[in-house]
Short mmCIF file of all heavy atoms in Angstrom, two decimals:
data_model
loop_
_atom_site.label_atom_id
_atom_site.label_comp_id
_atom_site.label_asym_id
_atom_site.label_seq_id
_atom_site.Cartn_x
_atom_site.Cartn_y
_atom_site.Cartn_z
N GLY A 53 5.78 34.13 -18.42
CA GLY A 53 5.59 35.55 -18.10
C GLY A 53 4.94 35.72 -16.74
O GLY A 53 5.35 36.53 -15.91
N LYS A 54 3.90 34.92 -16.49
CA LYS A 54 3.19 35.00 -15.21
C LYS A 54 4.12 34.62 -14.05
O LYS A 54 4.14 35.29 -13.02
CB LYS A 54 2.00 34.03 -15.27
CG LYS A 54 1.12 34.05 -14.05
CD LYS A 54 0.08 32.95 -14.17
CE LYS A 54 -0.42 32.54 -12.80
NZ LYS A 54 -1.13 33.59 -12.09
N LEU A 55 4.92 33.57 -14.24
CA LEU A 55 5.82 33.13 -13.17
C LEU A 55 6.94 34.15 -12.93
O LEU A 55 7.37 34.34 -11.79
CB LEU A 55 6.41 31.75 -13.50
CG LEU A 55 5.40 30.59 -13.42
CD1 LEU A 55 6.03 29.30 -13.95
CD2 LEU A 55 4.91 30.37 -11.99
N LEU A 56 7.41 34.83 -14.00
CA LEU A 56 8.43 35.88 -13.81
C LEU A 56 7.91 36.96 -12.88
O LEU A 56 8.63 37.46 -12.01
CB LEU A 56 8.80 36.50 -15.17
CG LEU A 56 9.80 35.74 -16.03
CD1 LEU A 56 9.89 36.37 -17.42
CD2 LEU A 56 11.18 35.71 -15.39
N VAL A 57 6.62 37.31 -13.03
CA VAL A 57 6.03 38.33 -12.17
C VAL A 57 5.90 37.79 -10.75
O VAL A 57 6.30 38.44 -9.78
CB VAL A 57 4.64 38.75 -12.73
CG1 VAL A 57 3.94 39.70 -11.75
CG2 VAL A 57 4.81 39.41 -14.09
N LEU A 58 5.36 36.57 -10.61
CA LEU A 58 5.17 35.98 -9.27
C LEU A 58 6.48 35.84 -8.50
O LEU A 58 6.52 35.98 -7.28
CB LEU A 58 4.53 34.58 -9.40
CG LEU A 58 3.03 34.52 -9.65
CD1 LEU A 58 2.61 33.08 -9.90
CD2 LEU A 58 2.27 35.10 -8.45
N GLN A 59 7.56 35.54 -9.23
CA GLN A 59 8.85 35.33 -8.57
C GLN A 59 9.56 36.66 -8.30
O GLN A 59 10.70 36.65 -7.81
CB GLN A 59 9.77 34.44 -9.42
CG GLN A 59 9.23 33.07 -9.78
CD GLN A 59 8.94 32.21 -8.57
OE1 GLN A 59 7.85 32.25 -8.02
NE2 GLN A 59 9.91 31.42 -8.15
N GLY A 60 8.95 37.76 -8.70
CA GLY A 60 9.61 39.05 -8.52
C GLY A 60 10.81 39.23 -9.44
O GLY A 60 11.73 39.99 -9.14
N LEU A 61 10.81 38.53 -10.57
CA LEU A 61 11.96 38.58 -11.48
C LEU A 61 11.76 39.54 -12.65
O LEU A 61 12.69 39.85 -13.37
CB LEU A 61 12.24 37.18 -12.05
CG LEU A 61 12.91 36.17 -11.12
CD1 LEU A 61 12.95 34.79 -11.78
CD2 LEU A 61 14.33 36.63 -10.79
N TRP A 62 10.53 39.96 -12.85
CA TRP A 62 10.20 40.72 -14.07
C TRP A 62 11.05 41.98 -14.20
O TRP A 62 11.76 42.17 -15.19
CB TRP A 62 8.71 41.07 -14.09
CG TRP A 62 8.27 41.65 -15.39
CD1 TRP A 62 8.20 42.98 -15.71
CD2 TRP A 62 7.89 40.94 -16.57
NE1 TRP A 62 7.78 43.14 -17.00
CE2 TRP A 62 7.58 41.90 -17.55
CE3 TRP A 62 7.77 39.58 -16.88
CZ2 TRP A 62 7.16 41.54 -18.83
CZ3 TRP A 62 7.36 39.23 -18.16
CH2 TRP A 62 7.06 40.21 -19.12
N GLU A 63 10.99 42.87 -13.19
CA GLU A 63 11.74 44.13 -13.26
C GLU A 63 13.25 43.92 -13.21
O GLU A 63 13.98 44.51 -14.01
CB GLU A 63 11.26 45.10 -12.18
CG GLU A 63 10.07 45.95 -12.62
CD GLU A 63 10.28 46.65 -13.98
OE1 GLU A 63 11.34 47.24 -14.20
OE2 GLU A 63 9.37 46.56 -14.84
N PRO A 64 13.74 43.08 -12.26
CA PRO A 64 15.20 42.83 -12.25
C PRO A 64 15.71 42.32 -13.61
O PRO A 64 16.78 42.73 -14.07
CB PRO A 64 15.37 41.77 -11.17
CG PRO A 64 14.20 41.92 -10.28
CD PRO A 64 13.07 42.42 -11.13
N LEU A 65 14.93 41.44 -14.24
CA LEU A 65 15.35 40.88 -15.52
C LEU A 65 15.38 41.97 -16.59
O LEU A 65 16.35 42.09 -17.37
CB LEU A 65 14.39 39.75 -15.93
CG LEU A 65 14.66 39.06 -17.26
CD1 LEU A 65 16.03 38.39 -17.24
CD2 LEU A 65 13.58 38.02 -17.56
N ARG A 66 14.33 42.79 -16.62
CA ARG A 66 14.27 43.87 -17.59
C ARG A 66 15.44 44.83 -17.42
O ARG A 66 16.08 45.23 -18.40
CB ARG A 66 12.97 44.64 -17.38
CG ARG A 66 12.14 44.79 -18.63
CD ARG A 66 10.76 45.17 -18.25
NE ARG A 66 10.68 46.61 -18.10
CZ ARG A 66 10.05 47.38 -18.97
NH1 ARG A 66 9.48 46.86 -20.04
NH2 ARG A 66 9.98 48.66 -18.78
N LYS A 67 15.72 45.17 -16.17
CA LYS A 67 16.82 46.11 -15.90
C LYS A 67 18.16 45.52 -16.34
O LYS A 67 18.97 46.20 -16.96
CB LYS A 67 16.87 46.43 -14.40
CG LYS A 67 15.84 47.46 -14.00
CD LYS A 67 16.22 48.14 -12.69
CE LYS A 67 15.06 49.03 -12.21
NZ LYS A 67 14.39 48.50 -11.05
N ARG A 68 18.37 44.22 -16.03
CA ARG A 68 19.67 43.63 -16.38
C ARG A 68 19.84 43.54 -17.89
O ARG A 68 20.91 43.79 -18.42
CB ARG A 68 19.83 42.23 -15.75
CG ARG A 68 20.25 42.32 -14.28
CD ARG A 68 21.16 41.16 -13.89
NE ARG A 68 22.50 41.25 -14.46
CZ ARG A 68 23.40 40.28 -14.38
NH1 ARG A 68 23.11 39.14 -13.76
NH2 ARG A 68 24.59 40.41 -14.92
N ILE A 69 18.78 43.16 -18.59
CA ILE A 69 18.91 43.05 -20.06
C ILE A 69 19.11 44.45 -20.66
O ILE A 69 19.96 44.65 -21.53
CB ILE A 69 17.69 42.34 -20.68
CG1 ILE A 69 17.55 40.92 -20.13
CG2 ILE A 69 17.84 42.28 -22.21
CD1 ILE A 69 16.29 40.21 -20.55
N SER A 70 18.35 45.42 -20.16
CA SER A 70 18.53 46.81 -20.64
C SER A 70 19.94 47.30 -20.36
O SER A 70 20.50 48.09 -21.12
CB SER A 70 17.55 47.76 -19.95
OG SER A 70 16.24 47.32 -20.11
N GLY A 71 20.52 46.82 -19.27
CA GLY A 71 21.88 47.22 -18.89
C GLY A 71 22.95 46.45 -19.63
O GLY A 71 24.14 46.60 -19.33
N GLY A 72 22.56 45.56 -20.55
CA GLY A 72 23.55 44.89 -21.40
C GLY A 72 23.78 43.42 -21.14
O GLY A 72 24.64 42.80 -21.76
N LEU A 73 23.03 42.80 -20.22
CA LEU A 73 23.19 41.36 -19.98
C LEU A 73 22.97 40.60 -21.29
O LEU A 73 21.93 40.73 -21.92
CB LEU A 73 22.16 40.87 -18.95
CG LEU A 73 22.18 39.37 -18.63
CD1 LEU A 73 23.37 39.02 -17.74
CD2 LEU A 73 20.87 38.93 -17.97
N PRO A 74 23.96 39.79 -21.71
CA PRO A 74 23.76 39.00 -22.93
C PRO A 74 22.63 37.99 -22.70
O PRO A 74 22.63 37.27 -21.68
CB PRO A 74 25.09 38.28 -23.13
CG PRO A 74 26.08 39.06 -22.33
CD PRO A 74 25.32 39.61 -21.16
N VAL A 75 21.68 37.93 -23.62
CA VAL A 75 20.53 37.06 -23.43
C VAL A 75 20.17 36.39 -24.75
O VAL A 75 20.33 36.97 -25.82
CB VAL A 75 19.34 37.85 -22.81
CG1 VAL A 75 18.86 38.95 -23.74
CG2 VAL A 75 18.20 36.94 -22.45
N PHE A 76 19.77 35.13 -24.66
CA PHE A 76 19.39 34.34 -25.84
C PHE A 76 18.02 33.74 -25.58
O PHE A 76 17.85 32.97 -24.63
CB PHE A 76 20.45 33.24 -26.08
CG PHE A 76 20.15 32.31 -27.24
CD1 PHE A 76 19.35 32.70 -28.31
CD2 PHE A 76 20.69 31.03 -27.26
CE1 PHE A 76 19.09 31.85 -29.37
CE2 PHE A 76 20.44 30.15 -28.31
CZ PHE A 76 19.63 30.57 -29.37
N GLY A 77 17.03 34.12 -26.39
CA GLY A 77 15.68 33.60 -26.22
C GLY A 77 15.31 32.68 -27.36
O GLY A 77 15.51 33.02 -28.53
N THR A 78 14.80 31.48 -27.02
CA THR A 78 14.33 30.58 -28.07
C THR A 78 12.81 30.42 -27.94
O THR A 78 12.31 30.20 -26.84
CB THR A 78 14.98 29.19 -27.97
OG1 THR A 78 14.76 28.64 -26.68
CG2 THR A 78 16.48 29.27 -28.21
N CYS A 79 12.11 30.52 -29.04
CA CYS A 79 10.66 30.25 -29.11
C CYS A 79 9.90 31.13 -28.10
O CYS A 79 9.80 32.33 -28.30
CB CYS A 79 10.41 28.76 -28.91
SG CYS A 79 8.78 28.24 -29.44
N ALA A 80 9.41 30.56 -27.01
CA ALA A 80 8.70 31.37 -26.01
C ALA A 80 9.60 32.46 -25.45
O ALA A 80 9.14 33.58 -25.17
CB ALA A 80 8.18 30.48 -24.87
N GLY A 81 10.90 32.16 -25.32
CA GLY A 81 11.86 33.15 -24.84
C GLY A 81 11.94 34.34 -25.79
O GLY A 81 12.04 35.50 -25.36
N MET A 82 11.88 34.06 -27.09
CA MET A 82 11.87 35.13 -28.09
C MET A 82 10.61 35.97 -27.98
O MET A 82 10.63 37.20 -28.07
CB MET A 82 11.99 34.53 -29.50
CG MET A 82 12.00 35.58 -30.60
SD MET A 82 12.01 34.86 -32.26
CE MET A 82 10.25 34.64 -32.52
N ILE A 83 9.46 35.30 -27.76
CA ILE A 83 8.18 36.02 -27.63
C ILE A 83 8.27 37.01 -26.45
O ILE A 83 7.87 38.16 -26.57
CB ILE A 83 7.02 35.02 -27.40
CG1 ILE A 83 6.80 34.16 -28.65
CG2 ILE A 83 5.73 35.76 -27.03
CD1 ILE A 83 5.81 33.02 -28.46
N LEU A 84 8.83 36.53 -25.33
CA LEU A 84 8.91 37.39 -24.14
C LEU A 84 9.81 38.61 -24.37
O LEU A 84 9.58 39.67 -23.82
CB LEU A 84 9.43 36.58 -22.95
CG LEU A 84 8.42 35.60 -22.35
CD1 LEU A 84 9.10 34.62 -21.42
CD2 LEU A 84 7.30 36.34 -21.63
N LEU A 85 10.86 38.45 -25.20
CA LEU A 85 11.78 39.55 -25.46
C LEU A 85 11.22 40.56 -26.46
O LEU A 85 11.63 41.72 -26.48
CB LEU A 85 13.10 39.00 -26.02
CG LEU A 85 13.97 38.22 -25.03
CD1 LEU A 85 15.04 37.41 -25.77
CD2 LEU A 85 14.62 39.17 -24.03
N SER A 86 10.24 40.13 -27.27
CA SER A 86 9.81 40.94 -28.42
C SER A 86 9.10 42.22 -27.99
O SER A 86 8.69 42.38 -26.84
CB SER A 86 8.90 40.11 -29.31
OG SER A 86 7.67 39.86 -28.65
N ARG A 87 8.96 43.14 -28.95
CA ARG A 87 8.34 44.43 -28.68
C ARG A 87 6.82 44.36 -28.85
O ARG A 87 6.08 45.11 -28.23
CB ARG A 87 8.92 45.50 -29.63
CG ARG A 87 8.52 46.92 -29.32
CD ARG A 87 9.22 47.90 -30.27
NE ARG A 87 9.06 47.53 -31.67
CZ ARG A 87 7.95 47.70 -32.38
NH1 ARG A 87 6.89 48.25 -31.84
NH2 ARG A 87 7.90 47.31 -33.64
N GLN A 88 6.35 43.43 -29.69
CA GLN A 88 4.93 43.40 -30.00
C GLN A 88 4.49 41.99 -30.40
O GLN A 88 5.21 41.29 -31.12
CB GLN A 88 4.65 44.34 -31.17
CG GLN A 88 3.18 44.60 -31.38
CD GLN A 88 2.93 45.50 -32.57
OE1 GLN A 88 3.69 45.47 -33.56
NE2 GLN A 88 1.90 46.31 -32.51
N ILE A 89 3.30 41.58 -29.91
CA ILE A 89 2.71 40.31 -30.34
C ILE A 89 1.42 40.63 -31.09
O ILE A 89 0.57 41.37 -30.58
CB ILE A 89 2.35 39.38 -29.16
CG1 ILE A 89 3.55 39.18 -28.24
CG2 ILE A 89 1.85 38.03 -29.67
CD1 ILE A 89 3.22 38.33 -27.03
N LEU A 90 1.29 40.06 -32.26
CA LEU A 90 0.10 40.31 -33.08
C LEU A 90 -1.16 39.87 -32.33
O LEU A 90 -1.27 38.73 -31.91
CB LEU A 90 0.23 39.55 -34.40
CG LEU A 90 -0.87 39.78 -35.43
CD1 LEU A 90 -0.77 41.18 -36.02
CD2 LEU A 90 -0.79 38.74 -36.54
N GLY A 91 -2.10 40.79 -32.17
CA GLY A 91 -3.42 40.47 -31.61
C GLY A 91 -3.41 39.97 -30.18
O GLY A 91 -4.27 39.20 -29.80
N SER A 92 -2.43 40.39 -29.37
CA SER A 92 -2.38 39.89 -28.00
C SER A 92 -1.94 40.99 -27.05
O SER A 92 -1.08 41.81 -27.38
CB SER A 92 -1.40 38.71 -27.90
OG SER A 92 -1.11 38.45 -26.55
N GLN A 93 -2.52 41.01 -25.86
CA GLN A 93 -2.15 41.98 -24.83
C GLN A 93 -1.24 41.33 -23.79
O GLN A 93 -1.01 41.90 -22.72
CB GLN A 93 -3.42 42.52 -24.14
CG GLN A 93 -4.34 43.26 -25.07
CD GLN A 93 -3.64 44.37 -25.82
OE1 GLN A 93 -2.96 45.19 -25.23
NE2 GLN A 93 -3.75 44.38 -27.15
N GLN A 94 -0.78 40.12 -24.09
CA GLN A 94 0.08 39.38 -23.18
C GLN A 94 1.29 40.22 -22.74
O GLN A 94 1.83 41.00 -23.50
CB GLN A 94 0.52 38.16 -23.98
CG GLN A 94 1.37 37.18 -23.28
CD GLN A 94 1.81 36.10 -24.27
OE1 GLN A 94 1.14 35.82 -25.27
NE2 GLN A 94 2.94 35.48 -24.00
N LEU A 95 1.70 40.02 -21.49
CA LEU A 95 2.83 40.75 -20.93
C LEU A 95 4.13 40.34 -21.62
O LEU A 95 4.45 39.16 -21.71
CB LEU A 95 2.91 40.41 -19.45
CG LEU A 95 3.61 41.37 -18.49
CD1 LEU A 95 3.02 42.75 -18.57
CD2 LEU A 95 3.52 40.82 -17.08
N ILE A 96 4.89 41.34 -22.13
CA ILE A 96 6.19 41.04 -22.75
C ILE A 96 7.22 42.07 -22.29
O ILE A 96 6.87 43.16 -21.88
CB ILE A 96 6.13 41.01 -24.30
CG1 ILE A 96 5.30 42.17 -24.83
CG2 ILE A 96 5.62 39.68 -24.79
CD1 ILE A 96 5.20 42.23 -26.33
N LEU A 97 8.50 41.69 -22.40
CA LEU A 97 9.57 42.58 -21.94
C LEU A 97 9.77 43.76 -22.90
O LEU A 97 10.15 44.84 -22.48
CB LEU A 97 10.88 41.79 -21.79
CG LEU A 97 10.88 40.75 -20.66
CD1 LEU A 97 12.00 39.74 -20.86
CD2 LEU A 97 11.01 41.41 -19.30
N GLY A 98 9.53 43.51 -24.19
CA GLY A 98 9.59 44.59 -25.17
C GLY A 98 10.97 45.16 -25.42
O GLY A 98 11.12 46.34 -25.72
N LEU A 99 12.01 44.35 -25.31
CA LEU A 99 13.38 44.84 -25.42
C LEU A 99 14.02 44.56 -26.78
O LEU A 99 15.07 45.09 -27.09
CB LEU A 99 14.24 44.21 -24.32
CG LEU A 99 13.80 44.55 -22.89
CD1 LEU A 99 14.49 43.64 -21.88
CD2 LEU A 99 14.08 46.01 -22.57
#
Side-chain angles (χ1 to χ4, degrees):
Chain A
K54 183 186 156 64
L55 290 172
L56 279 171
V57 174
L58 281 174
Q59 303 299 88
L61 285 173
W62 189 266
E63 273 310 313
L65 179 62
R66 233 163 86 108
K67 280 201 188 109
R68 279 214 72 188
I69 300 173
S70 305
L73 178 76
V75 63
F76 177 25
T78 55
C79 197
M82 180 184 86
I83 294 172
L84 286 167
L85 290 165
S86 69
R87 189 176 50 76
Q88 192 182 32
I89 307 178
L90 185 71
S92 166
Q93 298 306 310
Q94 182 185 334
L95 203 55
I96 43 179
L97 293 162
L99 298 167

